[in-house]
Amino acid sequence: MSSVHADPTPPPRSGAPAQIAVTGLAVMGRNLARNLARNGFRVAVHNRSQARTDALIEEFGHEGEFTPAADLPALVASLEQPRKIIIMVKAGEPTDAVIDELVPLLDEGDIVVDAGNAHFADTRRREDALKAKGLHFVGSGVSGGEEGALNGPSIMPGGSPESYAALEPMLTKISAHVNGEPCCVHVGPDGAGHFVKMLHNGIEYADMQLIAEAYDLLRHVLGLSATEIADVFLEWNRGDLESFLIEITAEVLSQVDESTGGPFVDVVLDQAEQKGTGRWTVQVALDLGIPVSGMAEAVFARSLSGDVVRRTAAAGVLPGPSEAKADVDRDAFIDDVRHALYSSKLVAYAQGFDAIRAASDQYNWNIDLGAMATIWRGGCIIRARFLDRIKEAYDRDADLPSLLVDDYFKDAVTSGQDGWRRVVATAATVGVPAPGFSAALSYYDGLRAERLPAALIQGLRDLFGAHTYRRTDRGGTFHLDWSGDRKEHQA
């Protein structure tokens, strides 16, 4: 991580033009600008509200060499060429508005970086439009929240190789580092960086849903307190489940509410919000034909949590099981939930990497899947111990059809599947919703099945819509004359 300047006196200005600019100084933009300055880069800063620019200089001007700009023309004028400008504003129309204002001010070869959570399709459109004007556009995923932006995030830049070559010294220096390696790599052209960030967020959704289900089961089935469950997560964080999200789960569960003296988690409204990247992931995966059931269930679970009208109507009206408790051994059930959590997390990551591969093939991005695991090991929200295992799996076989068939992951799921199945069965028995665990197990069983009931679905489709079918014993496409003599015809 970067070191903080202890001296509150602003460093002497070199008089040289700024090396990079950041426009948009909300929390993420401000911290990214500070990270760049603290690592020795000359940073021009701008915000539509001058007050934010002034506050940054007043509070953190001692951390490095900042050049405040009152407007975008001044920002552009303060930069060395080729200019490098990072946009940190809201996705969608606000980003387009900034780009439209910037482009007339720029010269051929200048680089515009969108480091927000943009939809990758927007990034592809913007990159194409700016390329026609001789400009580079880089859609870059940045993960790690406000702390990561300041101290070292995981960075996922797309765009042209030329633009990355110009940005690489800065991005790799300000990124998180694991074992001396930067958590930053050129993902691929046009929208590849933002696509990978979107999938990162989709996995994050699934991961948090699974953690929440583990907490819910331990609380309802075993009757453990929030503090006791925090201790369980602390223990889990010393093993294969070690990750940032497991670590902070223990922190949240151990927090005591100041006003009530009870567990903090008990006073938080149980209606989860979302900003859209999870929905994007599921929608895009549907277009690619890749099942991401764990992510989909996580998105739907958040939607259900916020569906106050229907939840209120159903609470106390819809009956549940007669027995709300299960007769299970405490320690054994905790271990079963650990296995269910780990196995389900592996499924979520496997589905995420399948979606990245499918998009890479469709858009000719040539994404290195092992490298994606490497840059997620530090700085980002889903950083976890087993990402090293994912990198090793793709090192062994770059064309691995699914992470779940790699020996390490196959063995991990094999050793945990009995407990996984018991947890899903117990959840159904006592009426505790576990859509993430259930969907992951169903995907696993569907993946390993030698024959699926899709054969019947194809028969039904052919009967009501003449959609045809294929046979197991010979090639070709066929249709039965269902309303006539029921003879088979080759379509």
Side-chain angles (χ1 to χ4, degrees):
M1 292 185 179
S2 309
S3 60
V4 181
H5 293 274
D7 185 356
T9 305
R13 292 189 53 79
S14 65
Q19 295 166 287
I20 193 165
V22 177
T23 178
L25 300 177
V27 174
M28 287 291 289
R30 179 185 66 192
N31 282 1
L32 202 60
R34 291 175 60 198
N35 189 350
L36 285 159
R38 289 161 62 172
N39 275 284
F41 299 108
R42 301 185 301 278
V43 187
V45 290
H46 163 263
N47 194 79
R48 287 195 180 277
S49 166
Q50 182 67 34
R52 280 189 173 171
T53 307
D54 294 341
L56 171 61
I57 300 302
E58 182 178 350
E59 292 180 59
F60 306 110
H62 62 279
E63 293 184 337
E65 189 169 340
F66 293 101
T67 301
D71 52 31
L72 288 181
L75 187 78
V76 171
S78 69
L79 287 164
E80 66 181 19
Q81 292 183 298
R83 304 177 183 95
K84 307 169 190 69
I85 302 173
I86 298 175
I87 299 173
M88 293 295 289
V89 301
K90 288 183 179 179
E93 291 181 3
T95 299
D96 281 325
V98 173
I99 292 170
D100 290 344
E101 191 175 347
L102 264 178
V103 165
L105 305 172
L106 301 179
D107 295 316
E108 185 174 344
D110 287 350
I111 303 167
V112 178
V113 181
D114 176 9
N117 274 334
H119 194 292
F120 82 99
D122 286 339
T123 302
R124 299 189 78 216
R125 167 179 58 81
R126 291 163 181 155
E127 197 265 351
D128 193 53
L130 267 65
K131 184 189 297 182
K133 299 178 183 296
L135 302 172
H136 295 285
F137 185 78
V138 174
S140 180
V142 177
S143 178
E146 57 184 277
E147 182 181 346
L150 179 62
N151 295 315
S154 172
I155 306 178
M156 297 152 258
S160 67
E162 295 84 2
S163 61
Y164 183 68
L167 293 166
E168 182 179 17
M170 297 183 186
L171 298 185
T172 54
K173 190 168 184 180
I174 69 168
S175 73
H177 286 68
V178 175
N179 299 328
E181 295 182 79
C183 294
C184 174
V185 70
H186 184 225
V187 177
D190 57 77
H194 273 147
F195 185 92
V196 166
K197 176 55 163 60
M198 180 184 72
L199 261 295
H200 165 285
N201 286 22
I203 293 171
E204 179 186 307
Y205 270 61
D207 210 340
M208 286 194 286
Q209 175 64 25
L210 294 169
I211 287 171
E213 291 177 18
Y215 153 77
D216 205 26
L217 284 162
L218 294 176
R219 195 143 201 199
H220 283 89
V221 175
L222 297 180
L224 300 185
S225 68
T227 303
E228 288 173 320
I229 300 172
D231 291 338
V232 170
F233 274 89
L234 280 173
E235 181 61 31
W236 286 350
N237 200 48
R238 299 186 183 101
D240 288 338
L241 279 168
E242 180 188 345
S243 66
F244 173 68
L245 284 172
I246 295 290
E247 175 188 336
I248 65 172
T249 297
E251 187 175 348
V252 171
L253 290 175
S254 62
Q255 178 68 27
V256 175
D257 177 56
E258 185 176 357
S259 61
T260 65
F264 163 77
V265 72
D266 288 349
V267 300
V268 177
L269 192 66
D270 63 337
Q271 297 171 21
E273 298 180 357
Q274 50 187 312
K275 291 188 175 180
T277 49
R279 286 196 303 271
W280 293 350
T281 302
V282 176
Q283 290 164 350
V284 171
L286 285 171
D287 292 337
L288 292 170
I290 299 297
V292 290
S293 50
M295 300 174 211
E297 290 297 343
V299 172
F300 294 146
R302 291 197 192 189
S303 299
L304 178 60
S305 76
D307 192 348
V308 179
V309 173
R310 269 153 288 279
R311 287 183 63 195
T312 302
V317 175
L318 297 181
S322 56
E323 294 292 332
K325 295 287 184 181
D327 183 17
V328 295
D329 177 81
R330 179 188 186 279
D331 292 342
F333 188 70
I334 289 174
D335 200 47
D336 281 352
V337 174
R338 178 179 66 82
H339 281 301
L341 179 55
Y342 191 56
S343 298
S344 298
K345 281 164 68 81
L346 295 183
V347 168
Y349 279 78
Q351 292 179 342
F353 277 85
D354 289 346
I356 293 173
R357 184 193 296 279
S360 180
D361 291 344
Q362 178 159 325
Y363 298 111
N364 298 313
W365 286 337
N366 195 31
I367 295 176
D368 182 339
L369 297 180
M372 297 308 97
T374 299
I375 64 173
W376 287 348
R377 292 181 305 166
C380 71
I381 304 301
I382 64 171
R383 58 187 183 267
R385 175 192 290 191
F386 67 80
L387 282 162
D388 282 324
R389 299 290 192 176
I390 294 177
K391 173 67 164 63
E392 292 165 5
Y394 285 116
D395 283 346
R396 285 189 289 271
D397 182 0
D399 297 319
L400 191 67
S402 168
L403 278 173
L404 296 175
V405 302
D406 174 77
D407 285 344
Y408 170 80
F409 295 102
K410 180 182 66 177
D411 291 346
V413 175
T414 298
S415 65
Q417 71 165 298
D418 288 345
W420 190 8
R421 295 181 190 281
R422 284 191 293 268
V423 166
V424 171
T426 300
T429 299
V430 302
V432 174
F437 286 159
S438 301
L441 182 58
S442 292
Y443 175 84
Y444 173 77
D445 283 336
L447 198 64
R448 68 180 188 82
E450 293 186 7
R451 187 163 174 81
L452 291 167
L456 175 58
I457 294 172
Q458 285 301 91
L460 295 170
R461 293 179 72 246
D462 189 58
L463 189 152
F464 69 67
H467 292 300
T468 73
Y469 58 90
R470 288 173 293 157
R471 298 178 60 95
T472 61
D473 54 357
R474 60 180 183 272
T477 304
F478 302 89
H479 167 64
L480 274 184
D481 185 4
W482 293 97
S483 60
D485 59 8
R486 298 212 172 191
K487 296 287 188 182
E488 183 178 75
H489 306 281
Q490 190 153 6

